[in-house]
Amino acid sequence: MGESRQELLAWLNGLLQLNITKVEQCGTGAAYCQIYDSIFLDIPMSRVKFNANSEYQYLENFKILSNCFRKHHVDRPLTVEQLTKCKMQDNLEFLQWTKRYWDQYYPGGDYDALARRKGTGPGAAPSAAVPAATPTSARTSTSANTGARRPGPMGGATGTAPRTASRQTGAGGPASTALQQKNAELMETVQGLERERDFYFSKLRDIELLIQQAMENDPALEEEEGGLLKQIQTILYSTEEGFEIPVDAETEAERDFEKEGAGEEETF
């Protein structure tokens, strides 16, 4: 009999210094990555996305975990498709198995989860920090804040110049830092959306080509208005009301189609 959800969450949050409230949240893959990092200490935590909000980013986290399993010969298949759906039962079973594995192979000693996550960048773990977690983390935080506020050398500068710079920094520093962090978060979100768009577009394009190939091999399929392939084509080419394909995009698509056709002719 495995641990209950409450016991697993208490263990998970204590080990990783997170604020996870549901087992389903483990479906992003980030927490799993760090659990195994606490065992092997070689997972590239800077690449793990704790603020993942799309299935594409979940898959990237599980790809890192899969590499870890392969490297250390962890004898457990990763059912990524089920886990990334963030269903409670699938993630509960995997988390229970992971806890048993951790009990068996954890090397012991203290694991500084916050220090291992420090390379993930601003906003990478918005709900991860536990306030006043331990004296060690408090000292680390104090040291980091002190280092951030410590001014650099002002070689050759007069006494007036540093005071002026200090006043300017005090007035605009926090606001500027906040804007930079917000901008970094937005850029990361945009990049994630673009990757997700390209990921699904490539799948739709593959489906389109398969349908076209099937219809070329059997022209009768194109005549079946109620056939499955025609229905899929209708869905692929349907647009929302008011949507128009941009002229440039339409022209570019035609050019790509012509190139593909020319390439096929050369093959023969």
Side-chain angles (χ1 to χ4, degrees):
M1 185 68 180
E3 292 89 343
S4 67
R5 282 179 290 175
Q6 289 75 17
E7 291 171 334
L8 287 169
L9 290 175
W11 163 73
L12 182 64
N13 289 325
L15 174 66
L16 306 184
Q17 299 186 44
L18 294 173
N19 288 327
I20 292 179
T21 57
K22 296 181 179 180
V23 172
E24 297 92 309
Q25 292 174 261
C26 294
T28 66
Y32 294 135
C33 285
Q34 191 157 22
I35 292 172
Y36 286 92
D37 182 70
S38 74
I39 300 172
F40 303 117
L41 295 174
D42 61 357
I43 285 185
M45 293 304 301
S46 61
R47 291 170 49 200
V48 177
K49 294 176 173 58
F50 276 85
N51 62 342
N53 55 10
S54 67
E55 189 172 343
Y56 178 83
Q57 292 176 319
Y58 302 168
L59 292 173
E60 288 188 336
N61 286 341
F62 276 100
K63 187 181 296 182
I64 294 172
L65 185 61
S66 177
N67 291 337
C68 169
F69 274 33
R70 188 162 49 250
K71 178 180 179 181
H72 296 285
H73 308 289
V74 179
D75 188 17
R76 166 80 182 196
L78 272 175
T79 56
V80 176
E81 187 174 346
Q82 285 79 20
L83 293 171
T84 53
K85 299 300 182 186
C86 296
K87 299 290 186 181
M88 190 276 293
Q89 189 60 39
D90 294 320
N91 282 280
L92 177 62
E93 292 176 1
F94 185 69
L95 190 57
Q96 287 173 335
W97 187 91
T98 294
K99 176 61 165 61
R100 291 194 295 271
Y101 188 92
W102 184 89
D103 287 338
Q104 184 175 357
Y105 293 104
Y106 182 66
D110 294 331
Y111 176 70
D112 194 342
L114 293 177
R116 290 291 294 164
R117 285 201 299 270
K118 68 180 180 181
T120 54
S127 62
V130 176
T134 62
T136 302
S137 61
R139 285 197 299 273
T140 303
S141 177
T142 303
S143 173
N145 291 337
T146 304
R149 290 194 297 269
R150 186 177 296 119
M154 303 291 290
T158 63
T160 305
R163 285 197 298 271
T164 304
S166 177
R167 285 196 299 270
Q168 291 174 348
T169 303
S176 176
T177 301
L179 287 174
Q180 289 175 357
Q181 291 181 349
K182 186 65 175 176
N183 185 59
E185 292 174 7
L186 291 173
M187 289 295 293
E188 185 177 351
T189 301
V190 169
Q191 290 172 359
L193 290 172
E194 289 177 345
R195 288 195 298 267
E196 186 176 5
R197 175 203 63 194
D198 296 340
F199 174 75
Y200 287 111
F201 177 81
S202 65
K203 289 185 175 295
L204 290 172
R205 179 59 175 156
D206 290 342
I207 293 171
E208 181 183 28
L209 292 175
L210 286 173
I211 293 174
Q212 290 176 355
Q213 184 177 359
M215 288 185 171
E216 288 174 1
N217 294 336
D218 186 0
L221 293 173
E222 195 166 1
E223 305 299 327
E224 298 178 5
E225 290 299 327
L228 177 62
L229 295 185
K230 291 293 288 185
Q231 292 181 37
I232 295 175
Q233 265 193 339
T234 301
I235 295 173
L236 284 175
Y237 299 143
S238 64
T239 58
E240 295 182 358
E241 185 177 352
F243 175 81
E244 295 182 3
I245 300 177
V247 177
D248 294 342
E250 190 173 6
T251 305
E252 185 176 351
E254 290 175 357
R255 285 201 300 267
D256 291 342
F257 181 78
E258 290 173 359
K259 288 180 182 178
E260 289 178 3
E264 291 175 358
E265 290 176 3
E266 290 175 1
T267 302
F268 292 108

